[in-house]
């Protein structure tokens, strides 16, 4: 349920910025190790980390993995057309702008008051070609011209859950429409044991894309704990060997599943359609402690 639109803003003694936005209580916490870096939390759940002095720095595990996808989407430095479904603190859009100058990007973030907070406290580079739309992710996706995007990144959470209408084949049909031939779709998914949501999302993506890969912490893939997994999909073969190398060399190493191993991991899960879609499971309270 959305909170009141009457925002409350205060600066604590440690320079934390707190403000009520549509999605709950937003907090920007300063990073003690980086002078102009901040972590965005919504109702206590970490959403994004931004370093204004070094937008190429990705602190969160899942954002590093999405950064690898961005790096491998085209030769280094080549500008891209990127659609971000879910804005947070605009971390990945800043990363694209820093690593691929002259890229053209659209961010779709439903929470207009969060957008205003981030723009005010963590302003975007005025020279970056980034447009922000405050609307529902699927509605914003529907307004993207056919074949516009080289890359669509979905990182949408409401109350720490992915909304049901962003989990179906109908949603992925819209993603495919917006992608250029050979373009790439990447989604940040969150799940825990028994991984039913994650398996269903892989099966759903496989119904619309011939090439898939999944990047996650091995303990998450084994169903030992709740966590994030990055699903990557395309019409063309994915650079799985390089993605595997990069994920394995991260500070928190990830594992890449693809091909038959990924099919086996899915375990015959049902494809999700609008009529049967449900939101992703809520994380246990212990995840954010």
């Amino acid at each position: 349920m959305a909170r009141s639109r009457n925002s409350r803003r205060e600066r604590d003694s440690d320079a934390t910025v707190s403000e009520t936005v549509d999605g709950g209580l937003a907090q920007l916490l300063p990073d003690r190790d980086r002078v102009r870096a901040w972590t965005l939390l919504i109702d206590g759940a970490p959403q994004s980390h931004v370093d204004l002095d070094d937008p190429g720095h990705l602190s969160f595990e899942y954002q590093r993995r999405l950064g690898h996808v961005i790096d491998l989407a085209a030769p280094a430095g080549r500008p891209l057309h990127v659609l971000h479904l879910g804005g947070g603190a605009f971390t990945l859009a800043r990363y694209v702008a820093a690593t691929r100058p002259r890229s053209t990007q659209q961010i779709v973030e439903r929470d207009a008051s969060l957008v205003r907070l981030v723009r005010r406290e963590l302003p975007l580079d005025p020279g970056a070609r980034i447009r922000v739309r405050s609307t529902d992710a699927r509605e914003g996706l529907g307004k993207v011209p056919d074949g516009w995007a080289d890359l669509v990144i979905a990182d949408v959470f409401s109350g720490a859950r992915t909304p049901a209408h962003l989990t179906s084949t109908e949603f992925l049909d819209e993603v495919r429409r917006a992608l250029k031939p050979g373009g790439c779709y990447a989604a940040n998914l969150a799940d825990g044991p028994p991984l039913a949501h994650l398996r269903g999302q892989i099966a759903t993506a496989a119904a619309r894309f011939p090439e898939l890969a999944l990047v996650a912490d091995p303990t998450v893939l084994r169903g030992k704990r709740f966590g994030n997994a990055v699903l990557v999909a395309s019409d063309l073969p994915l650079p799985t060997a390089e993605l595997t190398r990069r994920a394995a060399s991260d500070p928190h190493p990830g594992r890449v599943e693809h091909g038959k191993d990924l099919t086996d991991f899915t375990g015959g899960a049902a494809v999700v359609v609008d009529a049967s879609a449900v939101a992703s499971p809520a994380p246990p309270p212990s995840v954010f402690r």
Side-chain angles (χ1 to χ4, degrees):
M1 180 179 295
R3 302 290 184 92
S4 168
R5 288 180 178 272
N6 294 324
S7 64
R8 175 179 62 82
R9 180 175 181 269
E10 58 185 27
R11 281 192 180 273
D12 301 332
S13 58
D14 62 356
T16 295
V17 178
S18 299
E19 183 163 318
T20 300
V21 297
D22 294 349
L25 177 63
Q27 293 176 292
L28 290 171
L29 275 60
D31 187 328
R32 299 300 185 189
D33 298 321
R34 290 174 171 264
V35 176
R36 298 181 67 224
W38 304 77
T39 298
L40 169 67
L41 286 77
I42 304 291
D43 283 343
Q47 302 289 322
S48 301
H49 179 277
V50 169
D51 187 335
L52 296 179
D53 289 333
D54 182 11
H57 173 76
L58 299 176
S59 178
F60 289 4
E61 291 178 33
Y62 86 87
Q63 290 182 331
R64 287 182 64 88
R65 290 163 187 162
L66 287 168
H68 298 327
V69 175
I70 293 167
D71 292 345
L72 297 174
R78 177 183 295 177
L80 296 175
H81 285 188
V82 184
L83 174 65
H84 302 266
L85 302 178
F90 312 156
T91 303
L92 291 171
R94 300 173 199 267
Y95 180 82
V96 172
T99 60
R100 296 181 177 276
R102 304 186 314 282
S103 291
T104 302
Q105 302 184 76
Q106 294 187 39
I107 298 172
V108 180
E109 170 55 60
R110 181 173 186 170
D111 195 330
S113 51
L114 175 62
V115 169
R116 289 193 293 270
L117 170 66
V118 173
R119 281 188 178 278
R120 184 182 70 237
E121 301 293 339
L122 308 174
L124 289 165
D125 179 350
R129 301 175 181 178
I130 301 173
R131 179 181 182 183
V132 184
R133 296 172 181 254
S134 295
T135 188
D136 173 76
R138 190 153 159 182
E139 181 179 342
L141 173 62
K143 295 179 180 179
V144 175
D146 293 0
W148 180 84
D150 295 291
L151 179 61
V152 174
I153 298 174
D155 184 16
V156 184
F157 288 88
S158 176
R161 304 177 71 184
T162 301
H165 67 299
L166 306 181
T167 67
S168 66
T169 53
E170 291 91 339
F171 166 68
L172 290 182
D173 286 338
E174 277 296 291
V175 170
R176 288 204 56 162
R177 179 197 59 76
L179 282 172
K180 296 178 181 178
C184 187
Y185 169 66
N188 176 33
L189 307 174
D191 200 8
L195 300 178
H197 172 72
L198 182 57
R199 298 182 204 277
Q201 287 304 284
I202 298 166
T204 303
R208 292 297 183 266
F209 292 93
E211 302 289 338
L212 300 179
L214 186 73
V215 193
D217 187 297
T219 59
V220 173
L221 294 177
R222 291 197 297 268
K224 299 295 185 181
R225 69 172 178 87
F226 195 98
N228 295 84
V230 170
L231 177 63
V232 189
S234 180
D235 286 337
L236 298 180
L238 296 165
T240 52
E242 181 61 16
L243 186 60
T244 298
R245 187 191 69 78
R246 292 182 181 223
S249 63
D250 279 341
H252 299 281
R255 192 171 84 204
V256 176
E257 297 284 8
H258 61 96
K260 183 179 183 300
D261 288 342
L262 185 56
T263 301
D264 292 344
F265 174 82
T266 305
V271 172
V272 177
V273 297
D274 275 346
S276 63
V278 296
S280 66
S286 60
V287 169
F288 304 124
R289 288 177 185 168

